[in-house]
Amino acid sequence: MGGNPALGVVFHWLGGFASASFYVPYKRIKLWSWEIFWLAGGIFSWLIAPWVFASLRTENLLGVLASTPTSTLLWCWFWGVMWGFGGLTFGLTMRYLGLSLGMAVALGLTTVIGTMGPPIFHGTIGEIASRTSGQLTLLGILITLFAIVVVARAGHSKDKDLGGKASEGVAEFNLRKGLLIAVFSGVMSGCFAWGLDAGQPIRDLTLAAGTDPLSQGLPVLCVVLSGGLTTNFIWCALLIRRNRSFGQFFGASNGDGGNKKAPLLANYLLAALGGTLWYFQFFFYTMGESQMGRYGFSSWTLHMASIILFSTLWGFALKEWRGASSRTRTMVLTGIGMLLGATIVIGAGNMLDAGGSI
């Protein structure tokens, strides 16, 4: 089926690292409210970076999109809008369920919906499951789901070790409300994979225009991320209006620093860096997906596994796990090992299907 699944796994790891790293610059932004730095960085994530990199790495970008059926563009945009709702409600999942249960439900559903939805919709899941290579790939997906639960439980255990509050200990814990939000967030977040799947006609036109196969997915990102921009822009605009924070774009204080003005140049540069890093997760995702052959649907699982893996490693680098018990550390290291193992198993399944040696 072509492609190089081993290279695809490397690209997915690069994307996961970018996703796990984008919030590091955001943490250094000073005297800006959440909606200000989220929108400023998002302009780079969902608008500037997609169009710049697609323009640089693909042929006749505007011509390809102009010749794309309107229905394809609308579906890609629609799934991007739905994915935007998932991202906005993820924080509420943690608020009402705590880290352990919230992450397990939301990320587990995101992984399942984003990975299994397209092949089930296209009626290819039976064919996949009938092949040894497909069974190996599905096993890797299952291992990833177990690993998500293990890492989430380790996060909950760490919080208890450090005297924090999580799950039942959180002041606003509400199982019914939390589960409903977690299901909504998980399902909506998985819609990004549906948007990429809907963009196959765009990839076909891009390849026909002479674009390198590695970059065939970049024009699709321009459309899907415009949907995410729509959702996030509306939400941030509502918060800006409610909090009267628009002036922070031009140096007004958010009140946390008294009358001190925000360091505008530094803030904008940090927002640009964080936003571009965020985009790179899907820049590399599309490259990885292009190498996975028949089982390109497994890319979403590799993406989620890589994000959780590198986010956890960042936690160690930033000493967030200092003071955790040896039992908790063993648990999180077990989860990391399972995630690494899952990516290897999925990669092996894809290589077996591609006719490569494993």
Side-chain angles (χ1 to χ4, degrees):
M1 296 298 293
N4 183 340
L7 179 61
V9 170
V10 173
F11 280 132
H12 283 304
W13 278 349
L14 289 173
F17 179 76
S19 178
S21 305
F22 87 93
Y23 213 82
V24 176
Y26 282 180
K27 286 185 175 182
R28 297 182 178 274
I29 292 177
K30 299 178 180 178
L31 301 179
W32 268 4
S33 301
W34 177 88
E35 63 270 18
I36 301 299
F37 76 73
W38 189 253
L39 184 57
I43 294 298
F44 286 89
S45 300
W46 312 312
L47 182 62
I48 296 176
W51 284 92
V52 167
F53 284 98
S55 298
L56 292 174
R57 295 191 57 85
T58 67
E59 301 293 333
N60 193 22
L61 174 62
L62 294 179
V64 164
L65 292 178
S67 59
T68 300
T70 302
S71 60
T72 296
L73 296 175
L74 286 175
W75 276 115
C76 289
W77 176 83
F78 170 79
W79 290 121
V81 170
M82 294 299 100
W83 161 77
F85 283 117
L88 289 174
T89 53
F90 184 76
L92 289 176
T93 298
M94 304 299 108
R95 176 178 174 181
Y96 292 120
L97 290 183
L99 181 65
S100 179
L101 184 57
M103 279 189 63
V105 175
L107 294 184
L109 274 172
T110 298
T111 302
V112 171
I113 296 297
T115 303
M116 304 306 297
I120 290 175
F121 177 78
H122 293 300
T124 58
I125 191 65
E127 178 187 355
I128 293 169
S130 68
R131 299 170 178 267
T132 301
S133 56
Q135 293 167 4
L136 197 58
T137 301
L138 293 174
L139 174 62
I141 294 170
L142 186 62
I143 294 173
T144 300
L145 292 176
F146 278 113
I148 290 172
V149 174
V150 171
V151 172
R153 288 181 62 84
H156 171 61
S157 181
K158 181 200 74 171
D159 197 74
K160 290 178 62 178
D161 292 342
L162 301 181
K165 295 182 178 180
S167 292
E168 288 82 357
V170 72
E172 295 185 77
F173 179 79
N174 186 314
L175 182 62
R176 183 174 181 275
K177 181 186 293 186
L179 285 176
L180 287 174
I181 295 174
V183 169
F184 178 83
S185 176
V187 171
M188 292 297 102
S189 295
C191 287
F192 201 99
W194 285 80
L196 296 177
D197 182 72
Q200 185 58 48
I202 302 178
R203 283 190 283 273
D204 294 338
L205 289 168
T206 301
L207 290 172
T211 294
D212 186 300
L214 269 180
S215 301
Q216 61 182 286
L218 298 184
V220 183
L221 289 180
C222 292
V223 185
V224 177
L225 289 174
S226 70
L229 172 62
T230 302
T231 310
N232 283 272
F233 180 84
I234 292 173
W235 180 245
C236 288
L238 291 173
L239 289 179
I240 289 171
R241 180 179 180 183
R242 186 185 71 180
N243 299 331
R244 299 180 179 179
S245 53
F246 184 75
Q248 292 176 30
F249 281 120
F250 307 102
S253 173
N254 66 357
D256 293 342
N259 293 323
K260 292 177 61 178
K261 290 188 175 181
L264 284 183
L265 179 59
N267 281 2
Y268 277 115
L269 289 175
L270 288 168
L273 175 59
T276 304
L277 275 175
W278 186 97
Y279 164 76
F280 274 144
Q281 68 173 306
F282 290 116
F283 176 84
F284 288 115
Y285 177 98
T286 57
M287 291 185 173
E289 186 182 38
S290 74
Q291 299 299 303
M292 303 311 287
R294 190 198 312 267
Y295 302 148
F297 74 96
S298 62
S299 289
W300 191 253
T301 294
L302 290 171
H303 180 62
M304 297 302 301
S306 299
I307 291 174
I308 298 168
L309 170 64
F310 287 109
S311 294
T312 305
L313 292 177
W314 263 118
F316 276 104
L318 297 174
K319 305 186 186 306
E320 293 178 359
W321 294 83
R322 176 185 290 176
S325 66
S326 58
R327 174 180 175 276
T328 297
R329 288 174 174 266
T330 299
M331 191 184 305
V332 73
L333 290 175
T334 299
I336 290 175
M338 291 175 68
L339 289 170
L340 282 171
T343 61
I344 293 171
V345 171
I346 293 172
N350 280 267
M351 288 184 67
L352 182 62
D353 183 70
S357 60
I358 59 172

